[in-house]
Amino acid sequence: MARERPELESIIERAVILCPGPVLQLTDKLEISSPQLSSAVRTLEETERNQILKTLSETQWRIEGKDGAAMILGLHPSNLRGRMQKLGIVRSEKKEPD
């Protein structure tokens, strides 16, 4: 199975092969591009908050126990509560219909 080589490695290898003297000269122009961060990129904190909220919703806000959010997320219940507090996650009170 052929290994895909990074572009920089290929450029350096080509320069070594084509270079006539003891000083390495690049024949290819290097273009440095930085990926643009879009608004779709979320912070780690936003991602963590969304995952916790999703899991809490799926477990009907059950934190502890066999089918609790902490177990699903692989956290100790007290750690999950601490993260919820840090991220400002609070269960909204459901209003009963009149």
Side-chain angles (χ1 to χ4, degrees):
M1 176 159 62
R3 174 177 79 96
E4 288 189 33
R5 295 185 349 214
E7 188 176 337
L8 180 59
E9 184 179 339
S10 297
I11 292 171
I12 292 172
E13 183 177 274
R14 178 183 165 118
V16 169
I17 292 169
L18 298 177
C19 186
V23 177
L24 184 65
Q25 298 174 353
L26 298 180
T27 56
D28 298 327
K29 182 179 177 185
L30 296 178
E31 293 183 23
I32 300 172
S33 62
S34 60
Q36 297 296 318
L37 294 177
S38 69
S39 60
V41 177
R42 295 185 179 140
T43 65
L44 180 58
E45 192 171 274
E46 288 173 315
T47 303
E48 181 181 26
R49 186 175 200 282
N50 290 339
Q51 185 62 40
I52 290 172
L53 283 169
K54 178 179 176 265
T55 306
L56 286 167
S57 177
E58 290 171 356
T59 61
Q60 299 172 351
W61 286 79
R62 183 178 186 175
I63 293 175
E64 295 187 51
K66 181 179 146 203
D67 297 321
M71 182 175 223
I72 292 169
L73 294 169
L75 298 171
H76 190 277
S78 62
N79 289 344
L80 176 55
R81 286 187 185 93
R83 287 185 185 188
M84 288 170 62
Q85 184 176 8
K86 177 186 169 205
L87 297 168
I89 298 173
V90 183
R91 183 177 186 173
S92 61
E93 296 296 323
K94 290 185 179 180
K95 293 184 179 179
E96 295 296 323
D98 294 321

